[in-house]
Amino acid sequence: MGNREKSFVVSMERFKPHTFQAGQGEGLFMSHSHEYDELTLILEGDGYYSSSEQNIKVASGDLILIPSGLHHGFVCTKPWKGVSVHFLHDQLPVHCQYLFHEAESESQRIRSSHLHADDARWVEICFYQLEKEWNAERKTIDTHNIMRIAFETALLVFQRNRESAVLTADVHHGVIEKVLKEIHSSYHTRITVNELAARHFLSESNLRKKFTESIGVSPKQYIIHLRLMEAKRLLQQSNKAIDSIASEVGFTSSSRFYEFFIKSTGVTPFEWRKQSQ
C-alpha cells in the first residue's frame, strides 16, 4: 500500500459470550462514545443498545450502525456473540457514504437492521474477509480494495434490509431519500437535476425546492460537494494525476474542477495534496 494509503478500519472486535447479572452488573457497559463509526453484527443471543433518546432491543441477525460522537451503552440479556468494525466513514469512497451524509435526520441515532439468515451469513463472511485482510502482515493495494469491497457489501445489505422493513409514511421524505441514494451512486456521471426530477415525476423546480428544504443545499450543490469530497480522498490516498481525478469524479473540465476546488478549500488541488501528505 502506498505511503499515503490510509485504511478506513480503526479496529475490529469480537464479543465473548456473557450474560447480564443484576447483582454484579456483568454484561452492563458504561455509556461511552468514540471518534469513529461502528458497525456491529450480532451472531448469537440478544440484548439492548441505548443512547440518551433510544433503547433498542437487538438479537441474532441484527446489524447495528452507531455514528461517531454518540454516547451509547449496551447490555446482553441472553449470552451473545458478535463482531464489531470500528471505522472512519470519511475514508470510504463517496458512493459508500450515503448512510453518513451530514444532513441525514438520523445522523445522531443508533440504527439497526434485522437481516434474514442468508444476508446475515453474507455479512458474517464479509466481516471475516475484512478481518483477515486487515490483520495481514503485508498489505498491498489489493488488500485495501478487498477490504473496501467487503465492507461496502455489508453496508449495502444493511441499507437494503432497513429500507425494506420501514414503511415510510412521509412520501416527501421518501422521495428525497431515493434521490440522495441516486446522487451518491451516480455523482461522477453527467447526471442532471432534470433527469432526477423526471424519474420521480416531479418538475425540476419542485425537486430543487423539496431537496433544498430537506438537505439545506440544492441538488447541484450537493453533487459538486460529493465530487470534491471524492477528489480529496483520491488526492490523499492515490498518486493519480490531478486531471485524471477531475475526470474520474465527474468534472468535464479541469478548469471548472480547479475553480470549484479553490473556492471550497482556498488552495489548488496540488497544494491540498501536498499539505495532506
PDB file of all heavy atoms in Angstrom, residues 16-30 45-48 55 57 73-81:
ATOM      1  N   LYS A  16     -17.260 -11.973  23.394  1.00  0.00           N
ATOM      2  CA  LYS A  16     -17.260 -13.275  24.043  1.00  0.00           C
ATOM      3  C   LYS A  16     -18.595 -13.449  24.749  1.00  0.00           C
ATOM      4  O   LYS A  16     -19.165 -12.472  25.231  1.00  0.00           O
ATOM      5  CB  LYS A  16     -16.112 -13.379  25.049  1.00  0.00           C
ATOM      6  CG  LYS A  16     -14.735 -13.380  24.412  1.00  0.00           C
ATOM      7  CD  LYS A  16     -13.660 -13.538  25.447  1.00  0.00           C
ATOM      8  CE  LYS A  16     -12.279 -13.574  24.803  1.00  0.00           C
ATOM      9  NZ  LYS A  16     -11.201 -13.735  25.819  1.00  0.00           N
ATOM     10  N   PRO A  17     -19.103 -14.667  24.824  1.00  0.00           N
ATOM     11  CA  PRO A  17     -20.413 -14.876  25.460  1.00  0.00           C
ATOM     12  C   PRO A  17     -20.410 -14.418  26.908  1.00  0.00           C
ATOM     13  O   PRO A  17     -19.479 -14.697  27.652  1.00  0.00           O
ATOM     14  CB  PRO A  17     -20.605 -16.397  25.378  1.00  0.00           C
ATOM     15  CG  PRO A  17     -19.663 -16.852  24.320  1.00  0.00           C
ATOM     16  CD  PRO A  17     -18.507 -15.907  24.356  1.00  0.00           C
ATOM     17  N   HIS A  18     -21.416 -13.682  27.283  1.00  0.00           N
ATOM     18  CA  HIS A  18     -21.607 -13.322  28.680  1.00  0.00           C
ATOM     19  C   HIS A  18     -23.054 -12.904  28.870  1.00  0.00           C
ATOM     20  O   HIS A  18     -23.742 -12.571  27.912  1.00  0.00           O
ATOM     21  CB  HIS A  18     -20.658 -12.209  29.116  1.00  0.00           C
ATOM     22  CG  HIS A  18     -20.743 -10.969  28.290  1.00  0.00           C
ATOM     23  ND1 HIS A  18     -20.101 -10.839  27.084  1.00  0.00           N
ATOM     24  CD2 HIS A  18     -21.413  -9.809  28.490  1.00  0.00           C
ATOM     25  CE1 HIS A  18     -20.348  -9.636  26.574  1.00  0.00           C
ATOM     26  NE2 HIS A  18     -21.151  -9.000  27.403  1.00  0.00           N
ATOM     27  N   THR A  19     -23.547 -12.937  30.078  1.00  0.00           N
ATOM     28  CA  THR A  19     -24.934 -12.600  30.360  1.00  0.00           C
ATOM     29  C   THR A  19     -25.018 -11.521  31.410  1.00  0.00           C
ATOM     30  O   THR A  19     -24.064 -11.268  32.157  1.00  0.00           O
ATOM     31  CB  THR A  19     -25.718 -13.826  30.856  1.00  0.00           C
ATOM     32  OG1 THR A  19     -25.051 -14.356  31.997  1.00  0.00           O
ATOM     33  CG2 THR A  19     -25.824 -14.890  29.785  1.00  0.00           C
ATOM     34  N   PHE A  20     -26.150 -10.877  31.481  1.00  0.00           N
ATOM     35  CA  PHE A  20     -26.394  -9.815  32.434  1.00  0.00           C
ATOM     36  C   PHE A  20     -26.737 -10.400  33.797  1.00  0.00           C
ATOM     37  O   PHE A  20     -27.658 -11.194  33.919  1.00  0.00           O
ATOM     38  CB  PHE A  20     -27.537  -8.925  31.932  1.00  0.00           C
ATOM     39  CG  PHE A  20     -27.986  -7.900  32.949  1.00  0.00           C
ATOM     40  CD1 PHE A  20     -27.106  -6.957  33.427  1.00  0.00           C
ATOM     41  CD2 PHE A  20     -29.288  -7.907  33.409  1.00  0.00           C
ATOM     42  CE1 PHE A  20     -27.524  -6.012  34.353  1.00  0.00           C
ATOM     43  CE2 PHE A  20     -29.708  -6.968  34.324  1.00  0.00           C
ATOM     44  CZ  PHE A  20     -28.827  -6.016  34.806  1.00  0.00           C
ATOM     45  N   GLN A  21     -25.999 -10.047  34.817  1.00  0.00           N
ATOM     46  CA  GLN A  21     -26.266 -10.466  36.185  1.00  0.00           C
ATOM     47  C   GLN A  21     -26.572  -9.218  37.004  1.00  0.00           C
ATOM     48  O   GLN A  21     -25.722  -8.375  37.228  1.00  0.00           O
ATOM     49  CB  GLN A  21     -25.059 -11.191  36.780  1.00  0.00           C
ATOM     50  CG  GLN A  21     -24.622 -12.426  35.994  1.00  0.00           C
ATOM     51  CD  GLN A  21     -25.650 -13.534  36.059  1.00  0.00           C
ATOM     52  OE1 GLN A  21     -26.420 -13.614  37.018  1.00  0.00           O
ATOM     53  NE2 GLN A  21     -25.684 -14.388  35.046  1.00  0.00           N
ATOM     54  N   ALA A  22     -27.836  -9.116  37.461  1.00  0.00           N
ATOM     55  CA  ALA A  22     -28.265  -7.897  38.138  1.00  0.00           C
ATOM     56  C   ALA A  22     -27.428  -7.594  39.369  1.00  0.00           C
ATOM     57  O   ALA A  22     -27.129  -6.454  39.676  1.00  0.00           O
ATOM     58  CB  ALA A  22     -29.739  -8.027  38.534  1.00  0.00           C
ATOM     59  N   GLY A  23     -27.016  -8.646  40.093  1.00  0.00           N
ATOM     60  CA  GLY A  23     -26.268  -8.416  41.318  1.00  0.00           C
ATOM     61  C   GLY A  23     -24.881  -7.872  41.077  1.00  0.00           C
ATOM     62  O   GLY A  23     -24.392  -7.006  41.788  1.00  0.00           O
ATOM     63  N   GLN A  24     -24.212  -8.374  40.058  1.00  0.00           N
ATOM     64  CA  GLN A  24     -22.831  -7.988  39.800  1.00  0.00           C
ATOM     65  C   GLN A  24     -22.698  -6.938  38.699  1.00  0.00           C
ATOM     66  O   GLN A  24     -21.670  -6.295  38.585  1.00  0.00           O
ATOM     67  CB  GLN A  24     -22.024  -9.231  39.407  1.00  0.00           C
ATOM     68  CG  GLN A  24     -22.021 -10.305  40.492  1.00  0.00           C
ATOM     69  CD  GLN A  24     -21.302 -11.552  40.041  1.00  0.00           C
ATOM     70  OE1 GLN A  24     -20.770 -11.611  38.937  1.00  0.00           O
ATOM     71  NE2 GLN A  24     -21.282 -12.570  40.897  1.00  0.00           N
ATOM     72  N   GLY A  25     -23.717  -6.840  37.879  1.00  0.00           N
ATOM     73  CA  GLY A  25     -23.655  -5.875  36.795  1.00  0.00           C
ATOM     74  C   GLY A  25     -22.884  -6.371  35.596  1.00  0.00           C
ATOM     75  O   GLY A  25     -22.565  -5.624  34.696  1.00  0.00           O
ATOM     76  N   GLU A  26     -22.584  -7.682  35.589  1.00  0.00           N
ATOM     77  CA  GLU A  26     -21.852  -8.233  34.458  1.00  0.00           C
ATOM     78  C   GLU A  26     -22.696  -8.135  33.190  1.00  0.00           C
ATOM     79  O   GLU A  26     -23.878  -8.454  33.191  1.00  0.00           O
ATOM     80  CB  GLU A  26     -21.509  -9.697  34.712  1.00  0.00           C
ATOM     81  CG  GLU A  26     -20.693 -10.315  33.585  1.00  0.00           C
ATOM     82  CD  GLU A  26     -20.438 -11.788  33.839  1.00  0.00           C
ATOM     83  OE1 GLU A  26     -20.793 -12.278  34.917  1.00  0.00           O
ATOM     84  OE2 GLU A  26     -19.906 -12.436  32.928  1.00  0.00           O
ATOM     85  N   GLY A  27     -22.081  -7.688  32.107  1.00  0.00           N
ATOM     86  CA  GLY A  27     -22.796  -7.539  30.850  1.00  0.00           C
ATOM     87  C   GLY A  27     -23.312  -6.136  30.642  1.00  0.00           C
ATOM     88  O   GLY A  27     -23.738  -5.783  29.561  1.00  0.00           O
ATOM     89  N   LEU A  28     -23.259  -5.294  31.674  1.00  0.00           N
ATOM     90  CA  LEU A  28     -23.726  -3.910  31.565  1.00  0.00           C
ATOM     91  C   LEU A  28     -22.521  -3.011  31.340  1.00  0.00           C
ATOM     92  O   LEU A  28     -21.577  -3.028  32.132  1.00  0.00           O
ATOM     93  CB  LEU A  28     -24.470  -3.496  32.831  1.00  0.00           C
ATOM     94  CG  LEU A  28     -25.073  -2.093  32.846  1.00  0.00           C
ATOM     95  CD1 LEU A  28     -26.159  -1.985  31.781  1.00  0.00           C
ATOM     96  CD2 LEU A  28     -25.662  -1.780  34.211  1.00  0.00           C
ATOM     97  N   PHE A  29     -22.542  -2.224  30.289  1.00  0.00           N
ATOM     98  CA  PHE A  29     -21.404  -1.393  29.936  1.00  0.00           C
ATOM     99  C   PHE A  29     -21.732   0.076  30.154  1.00  0.00           C
ATOM    100  O   PHE A  29     -22.819   0.532  29.839  1.00  0.00           O
ATOM    101  CB  PHE A  29     -21.001  -1.631  28.473  1.00  0.00           C
ATOM    102  CG  PHE A  29     -20.377  -2.980  28.255  1.00  0.00           C
ATOM    103  CD1 PHE A  29     -21.173  -4.111  28.195  1.00  0.00           C
ATOM    104  CD2 PHE A  29     -19.018  -3.114  28.135  1.00  0.00           C
ATOM    105  CE1 PHE A  29     -20.615  -5.360  28.000  1.00  0.00           C
ATOM    106  CE2 PHE A  29     -18.452  -4.356  27.936  1.00  0.00           C
ATOM    107  CZ  PHE A  29     -19.251  -5.481  27.871  1.00  0.00           C
ATOM    108  N   MET A  30     -20.777   0.797  30.675  1.00  0.00           N
ATOM    109  CA  MET A  30     -20.960   2.226  30.889  1.00  0.00           C
ATOM    110  C   MET A  30     -21.132   2.936  29.552  1.00  0.00           C
ATOM    111  O   MET A  30     -20.546   2.552  28.554  1.00  0.00           O
ATOM    112  CB  MET A  30     -19.752   2.806  31.628  1.00  0.00           C
ATOM    113  CG  MET A  30     -19.548   2.234  33.028  1.00  0.00           C
ATOM    114  SD  MET A  30     -20.908   2.668  34.143  1.00  0.00           S
ATOM    115  CE  MET A  30     -20.636   4.435  34.289  1.00  0.00           C
ATOM    116  N   GLY A  45     -27.571 -14.694  20.601  1.00  0.00           N
ATOM    117  CA  GLY A  45     -28.077 -14.043  21.802  1.00  0.00           C
ATOM    118  C   GLY A  45     -28.905 -12.807  21.519  1.00  0.00           C
ATOM    119  O   GLY A  45     -29.286 -12.526  20.380  1.00  0.00           O
ATOM    120  N   ASP A  46     -29.199 -12.050  22.576  1.00  0.00           N
ATOM    121  CA  ASP A  46     -29.933 -10.804  22.427  1.00  0.00           C
ATOM    122  C   ASP A  46     -29.627  -9.859  23.582  1.00  0.00           C
ATOM    123  O   ASP A  46     -28.992 -10.244  24.570  1.00  0.00           O
ATOM    124  CB  ASP A  46     -31.442 -11.032  22.293  1.00  0.00           C
ATOM    125  CG  ASP A  46     -32.010 -11.835  23.457  1.00  0.00           C
ATOM    126  OD1 ASP A  46     -31.670 -11.526  24.616  1.00  0.00           O
ATOM    127  OD2 ASP A  46     -32.787 -12.774  23.213  1.00  0.00           O
ATOM    128  N   GLY A  47     -30.072  -8.618  23.437  1.00  0.00           N
ATOM    129  CA  GLY A  47     -29.812  -7.604  24.456  1.00  0.00           C
ATOM    130  C   GLY A  47     -30.358  -6.270  24.015  1.00  0.00           C
ATOM    131  O   GLY A  47     -31.301  -6.196  23.221  1.00  0.00           O
ATOM    132  N   TYR A  48     -29.738  -5.202  24.510  1.00  0.00           N
ATOM    133  CA  TYR A  48     -30.218  -3.855  24.211  1.00  0.00           C
ATOM    134  C   TYR A  48     -29.033  -2.927  23.924  1.00  0.00           C
ATOM    135  O   TYR A  48     -27.971  -3.043  24.535  1.00  0.00           O
ATOM    136  CB  TYR A  48     -31.008  -3.278  25.391  1.00  0.00           C
ATOM    137  CG  TYR A  48     -32.309  -3.991  25.667  1.00  0.00           C
ATOM    138  CD1 TYR A  48     -32.335  -5.120  26.472  1.00  0.00           C
ATOM    139  CD2 TYR A  48     -33.504  -3.539  25.103  1.00  0.00           C
ATOM    140  CE1 TYR A  48     -33.523  -5.791  26.724  1.00  0.00           C
ATOM    141  CE2 TYR A  48     -34.701  -4.198  25.358  1.00  0.00           C
ATOM    142  CZ  TYR A  48     -34.701  -5.319  26.164  1.00  0.00           C
ATOM    143  OH  TYR A  48     -35.875  -5.978  26.407  1.00  0.00           O
ATOM    144  N   ASN A  55     -33.652   3.105  23.252  1.00  0.00           N
ATOM    145  CA  ASN A  55     -33.404   1.827  23.906  1.00  0.00           C
ATOM    146  C   ASN A  55     -33.886   0.752  22.933  1.00  0.00           C
ATOM    147  O   ASN A  55     -35.082   0.492  22.818  1.00  0.00           O
ATOM    148  CB  ASN A  55     -34.142   1.730  25.239  1.00  0.00           C
ATOM    149  CG  ASN A  55     -33.698   0.524  26.042  1.00  0.00           C
ATOM    150  OD1 ASN A  55     -32.520   0.179  26.053  1.00  0.00           O
ATOM    151  ND2 ASN A  55     -34.637  -0.138  26.697  1.00  0.00           N
ATOM    152  N   LYS A  57     -33.984  -3.024  21.332  1.00  0.00           N
ATOM    153  CA  LYS A  57     -33.767  -4.455  21.548  1.00  0.00           C
ATOM    154  C   LYS A  57     -33.124  -5.040  20.297  1.00  0.00           C
ATOM    155  O   LYS A  57     -33.586  -4.794  19.180  1.00  0.00           O
ATOM    156  CB  LYS A  57     -35.087  -5.165  21.850  1.00  0.00           C
ATOM    157  CG  LYS A  57     -34.909  -6.655  22.141  1.00  0.00           C
ATOM    158  CD  LYS A  57     -36.204  -7.284  22.606  1.00  0.00           C
ATOM    159  CE  LYS A  57     -36.031  -8.802  22.822  1.00  0.00           C
ATOM    160  NZ  LYS A  57     -34.984  -9.113  23.832  1.00  0.00           N
ATOM    161  N   GLY A  73     -24.598   2.867  25.205  1.00  0.00           N
ATOM    162  CA  GLY A  73     -24.234   1.737  26.036  1.00  0.00           C
ATOM    163  C   GLY A  73     -24.943   0.509  25.524  1.00  0.00           C
ATOM    164  O   GLY A  73     -25.808   0.586  24.652  1.00  0.00           O
ATOM    165  N   PHE A  74     -24.586  -0.673  26.053  1.00  0.00           N
ATOM    166  CA  PHE A  74     -25.261  -1.887  25.609  1.00  0.00           C
ATOM    167  C   PHE A  74     -25.187  -2.930  26.716  1.00  0.00           C
ATOM    168  O   PHE A  74     -24.311  -2.890  27.582  1.00  0.00           O
ATOM    169  CB  PHE A  74     -24.639  -2.429  24.319  1.00  0.00           C
ATOM    170  CG  PHE A  74     -23.153  -2.647  24.369  1.00  0.00           C
ATOM    171  CD1 PHE A  74     -22.626  -3.895  24.637  1.00  0.00           C
ATOM    172  CD2 PHE A  74     -22.283  -1.591  24.126  1.00  0.00           C
ATOM    173  CE1 PHE A  74     -21.245  -4.087  24.686  1.00  0.00           C
ATOM    174  CE2 PHE A  74     -20.908  -1.772  24.154  1.00  0.00           C
ATOM    175  CZ  PHE A  74     -20.386  -3.028  24.446  1.00  0.00           C
ATOM    176  N   VAL A  75     -26.138  -3.828  26.705  1.00  0.00           N
ATOM    177  CA  VAL A  75     -26.192  -4.909  27.682  1.00  0.00           C
ATOM    178  C   VAL A  75     -26.814  -6.124  27.014  1.00  0.00           C
ATOM    179  O   VAL A  75     -27.740  -6.003  26.212  1.00  0.00           O
ATOM    180  CB  VAL A  75     -27.024  -4.502  28.927  1.00  0.00           C
ATOM    181  CG1 VAL A  75     -28.442  -4.133  28.533  1.00  0.00           C
ATOM    182  CG2 VAL A  75     -27.022  -5.599  29.971  1.00  0.00           C
ATOM    183  N   CYS A  76     -26.285  -7.319  27.299  1.00  0.00           N
ATOM    184  CA  CYS A  76     -26.892  -8.525  26.745  1.00  0.00           C
ATOM    185  C   CYS A  76     -27.734  -9.193  27.831  1.00  0.00           C
ATOM    186  O   CYS A  76     -27.364  -9.202  29.001  1.00  0.00           O
ATOM    187  CB  CYS A  76     -25.843  -9.474  26.191  1.00  0.00           C
ATOM    188  SG  CYS A  76     -24.852 -10.319  27.420  1.00  0.00           S
ATOM    189  N   THR A  77     -28.865  -9.722  27.429  1.00  0.00           N
ATOM    190  CA  THR A  77     -29.766 -10.401  28.351  1.00  0.00           C
ATOM    191  C   THR A  77     -29.804 -11.899  28.091  1.00  0.00           C
ATOM    192  O   THR A  77     -30.378 -12.655  28.854  1.00  0.00           O
ATOM    193  CB  THR A  77     -31.194  -9.822  28.232  1.00  0.00           C
ATOM    194  OG1 THR A  77     -31.587  -9.828  26.861  1.00  0.00           O
ATOM    195  CG2 THR A  77     -31.223  -8.392  28.754  1.00  0.00           C
ATOM    196  N   LYS A  78     -29.238 -12.322  26.972  1.00  0.00           N
ATOM    197  CA  LYS A  78     -29.072 -13.731  26.638  1.00  0.00           C
ATOM    198  C   LYS A  78     -27.680 -13.863  26.046  1.00  0.00           C
ATOM    199  O   LYS A  78     -27.291 -13.030  25.233  1.00  0.00           O
ATOM    200  CB  LYS A  78     -30.139 -14.158  25.623  1.00  0.00           C
ATOM    201  CG  LYS A  78     -30.055 -15.625  25.210  1.00  0.00           C
ATOM    202  CD  LYS A  78     -31.164 -15.948  24.211  1.00  0.00           C
ATOM    203  CE  LYS A  78     -31.064 -17.412  23.770  1.00  0.00           C
ATOM    204  NZ  LYS A  78     -32.122 -17.744  22.768  1.00  0.00           N
ATOM    205  N   PRO A  79     -26.886 -14.846  26.483  1.00  0.00           N
ATOM    206  CA  PRO A  79     -25.482 -14.933  26.033  1.00  0.00           C
ATOM    207  C   PRO A  79     -25.334 -14.639  24.547  1.00  0.00           C
ATOM    208  O   PRO A  79     -25.996 -15.258  23.717  1.00  0.00           O
ATOM    209  CB  PRO A  79     -25.105 -16.385  26.366  1.00  0.00           C
ATOM    210  CG  PRO A  79     -25.970 -16.730  27.520  1.00  0.00           C
ATOM    211  CD  PRO A  79     -27.282 -16.020  27.268  1.00  0.00           C
ATOM    212  N   TRP A  80     -24.463 -13.693  24.226  1.00  0.00           N
ATOM    213  CA  TRP A  80     -24.349 -13.322  22.826  1.00  0.00           C
ATOM    214  C   TRP A  80     -22.916 -13.333  22.314  1.00  0.00           C
ATOM    215  O   TRP A  80     -21.954 -13.298  23.072  1.00  0.00           O
ATOM    216  CB  TRP A  80     -25.021 -11.979  22.547  1.00  0.00           C
ATOM    217  CG  TRP A  80     -24.422 -10.731  23.144  1.00  0.00           C
ATOM    218  CD1 TRP A  80     -23.285 -10.599  23.896  1.00  0.00           C
ATOM    219  CD2 TRP A  80     -24.969  -9.414  23.028  1.00  0.00           C
ATOM    220  NE1 TRP A  80     -23.074  -9.297  24.247  1.00  0.00           N
ATOM    221  CE2 TRP A  80     -24.093  -8.539  23.732  1.00  0.00           C
ATOM    222  CE3 TRP A  80     -26.076  -8.877  22.405  1.00  0.00           C
ATOM    223  CZ2 TRP A  80     -24.315  -7.170  23.824  1.00  0.00           C
ATOM    224  CZ3 TRP A  80     -26.293  -7.519  22.494  1.00  0.00           C
ATOM    225  CH2 TRP A  80     -25.432  -6.676  23.193  1.00  0.00           C
ATOM    226  N   LYS A  81     -22.825 -13.433  21.025  1.00  0.00           N
ATOM    227  CA  LYS A  81     -21.564 -13.309  20.321  1.00  0.00           C
ATOM    228  C   LYS A  81     -21.782 -12.310  19.192  1.00  0.00           C
ATOM    229  O   LYS A  81     -22.892 -12.153  18.691  1.00  0.00           O
ATOM    230  CB  LYS A  81     -21.116 -14.649  19.716  1.00  0.00           C
ATOM    231  CG  LYS A  81     -20.740 -15.717  20.716  1.00  0.00           C
ATOM    232  CD  LYS A  81     -20.285 -16.984  19.996  1.00  0.00           C
ATOM    233  CE  LYS A  81     -19.912 -18.080  20.962  1.00  0.00           C
ATOM    234  NZ  LYS A  81     -19.488 -19.322  20.259  1.00  0.00           N
TER     235      LYS A  81
END
